[in-house]
């Protein structure tokens, strides 16, 4: 666990005048605020979680629940949670935190760099005595967020131990949409998927994914880019992937939202998750010293017809 560094000290080390600074966010959790000519964004040190990305001339592309918790040990509802080293529940321990333990801890801010039209915010976390209680392995993860006309997320996992490291991972993006019931996810036609709302039965996607009820599909072994097509906000949010074989598409719908205390009863209508990851049969194995970088790049394009 990184030793606590004050916001004042973080700004002394990393602030870029007029471009990026660290401020106190919800729950007094520190966040990096980027305001550049190409885009604005916010990234909490808590979970290294992006909670806002607004390209110049567009509305924010990221959904954030008005009822999210903002505290150590609890996940932020919305934004782009970093899921590691397992996805959903831990197979051999139902008491373990959903989606792993790195999204509920403070990461260390390594650097903020102004690169051309973009701003690169780099955060890091690594195994410690708290993580070893859940998962007895050694790792280091760097989350490099490049904020510009596109949003590039790079998750660099290094096996710092002396035994093989097998893990699941995901960048669990909550896209902000005008109406989930009129939103569709393109790019997965013909892809096999496991339907988590139907006992994870294997099915095959026919056409675009449309939300007509609780939807929780894991598309395995697909490298395809996907587009969240939004006819209400008149835009398409495209996600290109590198070294990601899984795409998960999720909306809890009305009945699922009621079970989530940190999601307003109607907020399910304003979100659509399309997540780049490597889960289940797509899990990653690293030899000691090896590293693996998964990349998701988001771009907003007009005309969500
Ligand atoms: O990505 C879909 C999913 O795995 C769903 O099964 C649902 O559990 C969702 O993630 C949210 O999980 P969370 O632990 O953040 O409530």
């Amino acid at each position: 666990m990184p030793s606590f560094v004050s916001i004042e000290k973080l700004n002394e080390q990393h602030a870029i005048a007029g471009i990026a600074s660290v401020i106190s966010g919800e729950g007094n959790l520190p966040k990096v605020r980027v305001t550049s000519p190409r885009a604005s964004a916010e990234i909490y040190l808590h979970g290294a979680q992006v909670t806002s990305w607004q390209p110049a001339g567009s509305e924010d592309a990221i959904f954030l629940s008005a009822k999210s918790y903002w505290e150590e040990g609890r996940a932020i509802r919305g934004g782009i949670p970093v899921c590691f080293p397992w996805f959903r529940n831990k197979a051999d321990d139902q008491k373990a935190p959903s989606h792993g333990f790195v999204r509920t801890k403070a990461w260390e801010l390594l650097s903020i760099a102004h690169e051309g039209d973009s701003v690169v915010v780099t955060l890091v976390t690594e195994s410690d005595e708290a993580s070893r209680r859940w998962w007895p392995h050694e790792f280091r993860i760097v989350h490099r967020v490049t904020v510009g006309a596109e949003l590039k997320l790079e998750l660099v996992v290094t096996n710092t131990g002396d035994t093989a490291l097998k893990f699941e991972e995901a960048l669990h993006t909550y896209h902000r949409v005008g109406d989930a019931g009129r939103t569709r996810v393109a790019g997965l036609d013909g892809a096999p998927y496991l339907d988590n709302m139907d006992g994870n039965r294997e099915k095959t996607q026919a056409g675009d994914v449309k939300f007509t009820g609780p939807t929780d599909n894991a598309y395995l072994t697909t490298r395809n880019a996907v587009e969240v097509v939004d006819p209400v906000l008149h835009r398409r949010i495209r996600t290109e992937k590198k070294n990601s074989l899984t795409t998960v598409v999720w909306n809890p719908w009305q009945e699922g939202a009621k079970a989530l205390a940190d999601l307003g009863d109607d907020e399910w209508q304003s979100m659509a998750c399309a997540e780049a990851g490597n889960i289940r049969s797509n899990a990653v194995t690293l030899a000691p010293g090896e590293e693996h970088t998964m990349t998701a790049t988001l771009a907003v394009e007009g005309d969500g017809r």
Side-chain angles (χ1 to χ4, degrees), residues 181-253:
R182 294 177 58 195
T183 298
R184 53 194 166 84
V185 179
L188 294 164
D189 183 26
Y193 68 93
L194 302 180
D195 183 348
N196 196 33
M197 303 309 297
D198 183 15
N200 271 320
R201 277 183 185 70
E202 180 160 338
K203 301 177 180 177
T204 301
Q205 182 59 40
D208 293 346
V209 184
K210 296 181 181 70
F211 299 103
T212 57
T215 306
D216 193 0
N217 300 343
Y219 295 83
L220 299 177
T221 321
T222 171
R223 300 174 186 278
N224 293 7
V226 293
E227 288 190 339
V228 174
V229 183
D230 181 346
V232 176
L233 297 182
H234 303 295
R235 67 182 182 185
R236 309 164 81 93
I237 305 176
R238 182 177 177 80
T239 299
E240 296 273 355
K241 310 191 301 178
K242 275 191 196 140
N243 294 330
S244 158
L245 287 175
T246 310
T247 296
V248 179
V249 175
W250 176 62
N251 185 291
W253 212 248

Side-chain angles (χ1 to χ4, degrees), residues 1-2 105 125-133 137-139:
M1 179 76 87
K105 66 182 286 194
T125 193
E126 48 195 14
S127 46
D128 56 23
E129 60 179 283
S131 67
R132 292 183 197 106
R133 278 202 295 274
H137 299 283
E138 306 306 313
F139 65 89

Side-chain angles (χ1 to χ4, degrees), residues 13-293:
Q13 293 170 337
H14 302 297
I16 302 173
I19 294 287
S21 62
V22 181
I23 58 176
S24 179
E26 300 286 349
N28 292 322
L29 295 172
K31 65 182 178 181
V32 178
R33 171 90 181 133
V34 174
T35 47
S36 76
R38 304 301 294 269
S40 64
E42 294 190 346
I43 304 116
Y44 277 79
L45 275 59
H46 183 71
Q49 189 154 338
V50 175
T51 52
S52 168
W53 170 58
Q54 183 169 9
S58 297
E59 295 188 43
D60 205 317
I62 305 297
F63 167 85
L64 189 60
S65 170
K67 298 185 70 179
S68 179
Y69 299 114
W70 298 95
E71 55 193 78
E72 195 70 24
R74 300 197 79 152
I76 295 169
R77 176 67 65 190
I80 306 177
V82 176
C83 305
F84 176 90
W86 59 80
F87 188 79
R88 293 185 184 130
N89 295 329
K90 188 169 189 277
D92 59 0
D93 182 354
Q94 293 306 306
K95 291 193 304 297
S98 170
H99 291 321
F101 44 70
V102 300
R103 66 171 178 166
T104 54
K105 66 182 286 194
W107 289 45
E108 182 187 344
L109 177 59
L110 266 189
S111 64
I112 304 177
H114 196 185
E115 291 184 5
D117 285 349
S118 300
V119 177
V120 185
V121 180
T122 303
L123 303 106
V124 66
T125 193
E126 48 195 14
S127 46
D128 56 23
E129 60 179 283
S131 67
R132 292 183 197 106
R133 278 202 295 274
W134 294 115
W135 198 59
H137 299 283
E138 306 306 313
F139 65 89
R140 184 173 192 267
I141 312 183
V142 169
H143 188 196
R144 193 163 37 242
V145 180
T146 302
V147 176
E150 296 183 338
L151 179 71
K152 183 162 82 166
L153 310 161
E154 295 169 283
L155 212 51
V156 187
V157 178
T158 305
N159 178 356
T160 53
D162 50 17
T163 57
L165 192 74
K166 182 175 183 182
F167 62 90
E168 295 178 306
E169 60 183 347
L171 290 162
H172 192 301
T173 308
Y174 285 72
H175 300 75
R176 196 166 71 80
V177 297
D179 177 352
R182 294 177 58 195
T183 298
R184 53 194 166 84
V185 179
L188 294 164
D189 183 26
Y193 68 93
L194 302 180
D195 183 348
N196 196 33
M197 303 309 297
D198 183 15
N200 271 320
R201 277 183 185 70
E202 180 160 338
K203 301 177 180 177
T204 301
Q205 182 59 40
D208 293 346
V209 184
K210 296 181 181 70
F211 299 103
T212 57
T215 306
D216 193 0
N217 300 343
Y219 295 83
L220 299 177
T221 321
T222 171
R223 300 174 186 278
N224 293 7
V226 293
E227 288 190 339
V228 174
V229 183
D230 181 346
V232 176
L233 297 182
H234 303 295
R235 67 182 182 185
R236 309 164 81 93
I237 305 176
R238 182 177 177 80
T239 299
E240 296 273 355
K241 310 191 301 178
K242 275 191 196 140
N243 294 330
S244 158
L245 287 175
T246 310
T247 296
V248 179
V249 175
W250 176 62
N251 185 291
W253 212 248
Q254 190 169 22
E255 40 269 63
K258 285 196 171 64
L260 298 173
D262 56 352
L263 185 70
D265 285 353
D266 297 332
E267 284 191 306
W268 60 272
Q269 299 178 77
S270 305
M271 54 160 279
C273 286
E275 311 154 28
N278 288 299
I279 73 169
R280 300 178 74 103
S281 57
N282 298 152
V284 177
T285 299
L286 293 179
E290 265 193 331
E291 79 174 40
H292 175 275
T293 300

